[in-house]
Amino acid sequence: MPVAPSLVDILRADVTDDILGDAFGADQNPADDEAAAAAAEDDVVPDGACVECKDQQAHLYCEQCQEDFCEVCAGMIHRTGGRKRHVLKLLRVGDSEQSQTQSQPEDEEKENVNGDDDDEEMGDDEAVGDAATEVGAMGVSFSAQSGRVETSGGTSFAEWITKRARYIPLRLTLRERKFLRLLEAGLKVSEYTDKIDILMYGNKTKRIVAQIKELCAILSGLVLASDYKVGQTLFEDRQFEDNEDFYQRIFEIGRRHKIMNPEKMRDEYGKMMFLLQDSQSDDVKTMLNFSLVSPIKTVHSVLESLGVLYILEDEMVAVATKEIVSQGKTRAQIQLETKQKERAIEYLCKAYATNDCPADVIRQCLYSIGDNHAYLRFNRDPCDRMLAYLTGNFAPQRAESDQLSLAIMHGQNGARLSHSHESQFHYVLQTLTLWREMLHEMFKLWHDADGDLLSSKNMYRLKDTGQGLNRVQTCPRVSKSAHSILHRTQKAVGRWVGSAMIHMGDRNVPNALVFIDKYNQVASILNPVVRVLEFLDALDKSSKGVAGFVEQTFGGAEQAKKLILADFFRSAFDGSGADNFFDAGSCIDGRLTSAWNWCSTVEKKPFFSVFLLSGFVGFNGGPEGFN
């Protein structure tokens, strides 16, 4: 994915100015006058740009502030306080179907004043990416009965999947999976981060180049050992730079595999990304004489390169990529849906296959889209289930009983926040909604993180963050996407409780890789809880002995379910998990910290026996934490 150089350069300039200002002061060097003048020129807002971020085209004008803003900045600045009553007007009526004056009192926060001219200031990929996120997770749902993804808001499935296909990784072929195993084996024995991410004197560039060449030599040896003829063809009488395409391909396979399978390569992926990050340095490139990075293959890029992108407009794609879910269906229904899906795949392969695009490639792309649906169902849909449990078992106005109250008090049971039952209800609601939106756009966030980490213009600093040495790096692309998702969520839920701070590029979230890893844990937290609740729903049918124990201990399966939900909605969203509000609290990332803190104490809960009876082994156990 190409990196937006203007945004990266602006952010890097800001960071550099801060560092120089802190280190040397303002008046110690007369030569700084020229630098200050150049910085002043950078602070000038370009014509038609947002006065806050300076890189997006302004769509709204605030009559009270008398300044122009883009939609995201306007929403963040005018969200609370006296500015909430400011009047915002569209700069150009033609940009939106809404031509009336927009204001932002609480009852009108859900009005959409998005414009379309943003794309003029961005590259093609970013423009399409923003358009793809307009639908959002709330406009896309999965029907377990039909197994198909359903869209709303005037967007057809063909339009949605064409935009989303830009970020859907292509499924690995059998040959690529063999290379993946070799890559994992090579990374497993490599000591790259142990020898590079340390504080020591000496030439770091030489150490990096030596370690990269050592790993490339290991990979070459593994390929030669696994297939002598292929290895001989690749490496006989050739230098590392002569096999640039091979190394780019094998590392691209690893990056692509990880996006679709976030639970895989837990140790090896970070090591690989840091190696690739260092390889993008200009000094390292000069010494290596070759590059290890190539764009990630996606469904969109493959179909577009072969000239058959229009296949995604066929209505049979929805049938060919649907997921067959056995829940609540007879064997005959499952077999019928399976045959329908197979016939749809064969039809599309025969109808659109060309000399340049064989049927196997089309089939691979269709399977990749199906993998996307499976990913959404496993990672995003648990948020839907928990939202349904929240709204179905608790009323926002008042609690059913003191035992089922969601109210929390600072200092009690480890809580670091104080919320009434109503405030906590909305706090949990908005947090689960935000997690759902993040997971819905996770493939795009992965690509943005890949671009931030591997940008040659976005350097990192090795810094002790309190959790050891970490690579602290700005994340302009991920930050932009995350704030857009946050702004969309705030408009959807209306009322916002707590902080809207997103930590990124600091001691809490040092880089984009850590940010992505945090949100990949949401499914690991929610799926085991959902499975326990489903176990209680089906308890009467499964075991009379267990049902009797639950009845005697908790007063019935329904009461046990409510006790578990009440404790989860209280203690997993109470700001706990750290010793200060900057590390936990109610900020966007602190909410995940609180949830993980609840997971670490679940064995001390009075209902933990129900978890064990349902087959629970841990939040990092087998599939979904169960045997």
Side-chain angles (χ1 to χ4, degrees):
M1 292 291 295
V3 179
S6 58
L7 183 56
V8 174
D9 290 340
I10 289 172
L11 290 176
R12 286 186 67 243
D14 291 342
V15 173
T16 305
D17 291 344
D18 292 341
I19 294 172
L20 292 177
D22 293 340
F24 301 107
D27 302 321
Q28 293 184 10
N29 191 348
D32 288 342
D33 293 340
E34 296 181 3
E41 291 180 4
D42 291 340
D43 288 338
V44 176
V45 180
D47 291 340
C50 171
V51 71
E52 184 70 16
C53 63
K54 301 183 181 67
D55 73 303
Q56 294 297 303
Q57 187 168 356
H59 284 176
L60 302 171
Y61 173 77
C62 177
E63 291 185 345
Q64 285 71 28
C65 299
Q66 296 184 354
E67 290 177 329
D68 299 338
F69 298 94
C70 65
E71 185 194 359
V72 174
C73 291
M76 291 297 296
I77 292 174
H78 296 85
R79 185 174 58 83
T80 58
R83 291 186 178 185
K84 194 173 183 179
R85 294 184 290 274
H86 286 193
V87 178
L88 301 177
K89 288 187 176 180
L90 287 171
L91 289 178
R92 288 179 296 278
V93 178
D95 282 349
S96 174
E97 295 179 1
Q98 296 175 335
S99 59
Q100 68 271 23
T101 300
Q102 297 291 330
S103 62
Q104 288 193 324
E106 189 165 348
D107 59 339
E108 293 180 15
E109 278 191 339
K110 296 185 181 181
E111 290 295 324
N112 185 1
V113 290
N114 269 340
D116 296 327
D117 286 348
D118 263 353
D119 301 348
E120 297 175 3
E121 297 287 329
M122 300 185 296
D124 292 341
D125 285 347
E126 285 189 297
V128 175
D130 288 346
T133 59
E134 285 177 2
V135 177
M138 285 164 281
V140 181
S141 60
F142 176 83
S143 172
Q145 189 62 30
S146 65
R148 295 171 62 169
V149 171
E150 299 171 352
T151 59
S152 60
T155 302
S156 67
F157 175 82
E159 293 173 332
W160 176 75
I161 200 61
T162 300
K163 294 172 183 176
R164 188 172 179 84
R166 288 181 173 271
Y167 308 108
I168 298 178
L170 193 67
R171 179 189 279 197
L172 301 188
T173 62
L174 179 60
R175 181 176 177 80
E176 288 176 333
R177 292 184 184 277
K178 293 180 179 178
F179 283 132
L180 175 66
R181 288 197 292 271
L182 298 180
L183 175 64
E184 289 180 310
L187 290 170
K188 197 165 285 187
V189 300
S190 173
E191 298 179 343
Y192 183 83
T193 50
D194 296 334
K195 296 184 178 181
I196 300 301
D197 288 349
I198 54 176
L199 296 177
M200 65 174 294
Y201 294 101
N203 192 316
K204 184 176 180 179
T205 302
K206 289 184 178 179
R207 295 204 317 271
I208 291 173
V209 172
Q211 290 298 311
I212 290 176
K213 287 187 175 180
E214 179 181 303
L215 179 58
C216 289
I218 292 173
L219 293 175
S220 303
L222 290 173
V223 171
L224 186 65
S226 62
D227 194 324
Y228 180 77
K229 290 185 178 180
V230 173
Q232 189 179 35
T233 304
L234 283 172
F235 308 115
E236 187 176 20
D237 299 327
R238 303 183 75 178
Q239 301 298 321
F240 287 116
E241 55 265 28
D242 297 327
N243 291 307
E244 180 180 24
D245 292 340
F246 168 75
Y247 295 123
Q248 287 182 351
R249 180 186 178 192
I250 197 168
F251 284 115
E252 185 273 333
I253 289 172
R255 289 152 59 207
R256 178 160 35 111
H257 174 72
K258 177 64 175 179
I259 295 175
M260 190 63 79
N261 303 274
E263 74 282 359
K264 305 291 186 181
M265 298 178 67
R266 291 191 175 183
D267 298 326
E268 295 84 1
Y269 180 75
K271 193 184 300 183
M272 178 184 70
M273 291 304 296
F274 288 158
L275 180 146
L276 296 177
Q277 186 181 42
D278 289 334
S279 74
Q280 290 296 92
S281 167
D282 293 335
D283 294 338
V284 174
K285 279 184 178 179
T286 302
M287 294 183 68
L288 277 178
N289 292 322
F290 68 98
S291 173
L292 299 176
V293 178
S294 63
I296 294 175
K297 287 184 180 180
T298 64
V299 172
H300 190 282
S301 65
V302 171
L303 294 179
E304 187 177 40
S305 65
L306 299 176
V308 292
L309 186 59
Y310 52 84
I311 187 177
L312 298 178
E313 299 175 5
D314 196 306
E315 61 181 9
M316 292 301 292
V317 172
V319 180
T321 59
K322 72 176 184 178
E323 191 177 8
I324 309 299
V325 181
S326 60
Q327 185 177 2
K329 298 177 184 177
T330 64
R331 181 181 294 273
Q333 286 178 301
I334 297 172
Q335 291 176 344
L336 177 62
E337 290 183 9
T338 303
K339 289 181 179 179
Q340 289 175 344
K341 180 176 179 177
E342 292 173 351
R343 289 172 183 171
I345 292 174
E346 293 305 318
Y347 159 76
L348 292 170
C349 291
K350 291 179 180 179
Y352 294 97
T354 64
N355 293 332
D356 296 329
C357 181
D360 288 342
V361 174
I362 295 176
R363 186 176 288 105
Q364 185 184 11
C365 290
L366 294 174
Y367 288 155
S368 301
I369 296 174
D371 293 341
N372 165 77
H373 301 344
Y375 177 92
L376 290 179
R377 191 169 70 89
F378 181 82
N379 291 274
R380 186 199 67 183
D381 286 11
C383 297
D384 289 331
R385 299 296 304 275
M386 294 306 293
L387 283 168
Y389 282 126
L390 174 66
T391 56
N393 292 277
F394 300 91
Q397 290 78 17
R398 60 181 180 180
E400 179 180 334
S401 64
D402 292 340
Q403 194 177 23
L404 299 180
S405 173
L406 302 183
I408 56 176
M409 181 66 69
H410 175 75
Q412 293 184 1
N413 300 319
R416 305 197 69 253
L417 302 173
S418 294
H419 287 159
S420 64
H421 173 84
E422 183 178 1
S423 295
Q424 183 69 1
F425 179 92
H426 289 287
Y427 181 74
V428 175
L429 177 71
Q430 69 192 24
T431 302
L432 291 173
T433 304
L434 177 64
W435 289 355
R436 185 183 192 273
E437 287 287 321
M438 288 286 190
L439 292 170
H440 179 78
E441 302 294 348
M442 186 53 68
F443 285 169
K444 184 180 187 305
L445 291 171
W446 267 110
H447 282 263
D448 290 339
D450 197 78
D452 284 337
L453 287 166
L454 304 183
S455 171
S456 59
K457 298 180 180 179
N458 190 15
M459 296 295 100
Y460 68 87
R461 292 171 294 140
L462 199 61
K463 183 178 178 181
D464 186 357
T465 61
Q467 301 179 13
L469 291 175
N470 282 278
R471 299 189 177 200
V472 180
Q473 181 189 42
T474 58
C475 318
R477 294 169 64 86
V478 176
S479 178
K480 178 183 174 183
S481 297
H483 279 91
S484 296
I485 294 170
L486 173 61
H487 178 59
R488 187 171 66 226
T489 305
Q490 289 174 330
K491 291 170 65 176
V493 299
R495 176 182 177 182
W496 191 261
V497 181
S499 170
M501 171 68 180
I502 300 180
H503 289 288
M504 215 171 294
D506 57 18
R507 66 186 298 271
N508 293 284
V509 184
N511 51 60
L513 181 61
V514 177
F515 177 84
I516 291 294
D517 185 63
K518 286 175 74 76
Y519 282 94
N520 277 327
Q521 308 307 316
V522 171
S524 299
I525 297 172
L526 298 185
N527 267 319
V529 179
V530 170
R531 285 284 298 272
V532 172
L533 298 174
E534 290 176 343
F535 167 76
L536 288 172
D537 287 335
L539 190 58
D540 294 336
K541 305 174 184 177
S542 58
S543 172
K544 292 184 178 180
V546 175
F549 167 77
V550 172
E551 179 71 31
Q552 183 179 0
T553 308
F554 302 100
E558 187 65 23
Q559 185 67 12
K561 185 170 69 172
K562 289 184 177 182
L563 289 173
I564 293 173
L565 286 170
D567 187 85
F568 179 75
F569 293 146
R570 281 194 306 262
S571 302
F573 300 88
D574 61 358
S576 60
D579 57 359
N580 61 77
F581 281 106
F582 190 71
D583 292 343
S586 64
C587 66
I588 300 304
D589 308 283
R591 303 173 190 226
L592 269 171
T593 305
S594 304
W596 265 124
N597 186 60
W598 181 86
C599 295
S600 68
T601 60
V602 70
E603 70 275 4
K604 300 177 183 178
K605 304 292 183 180
F607 48 76
F608 184 59
S609 56
V610 179
F611 274 66
L612 295 177
L613 288 171
S614 66
F616 173 81
V617 294
F619 291 95
N620 278 327
E624 303 182 33
F626 285 78
N627 283 325

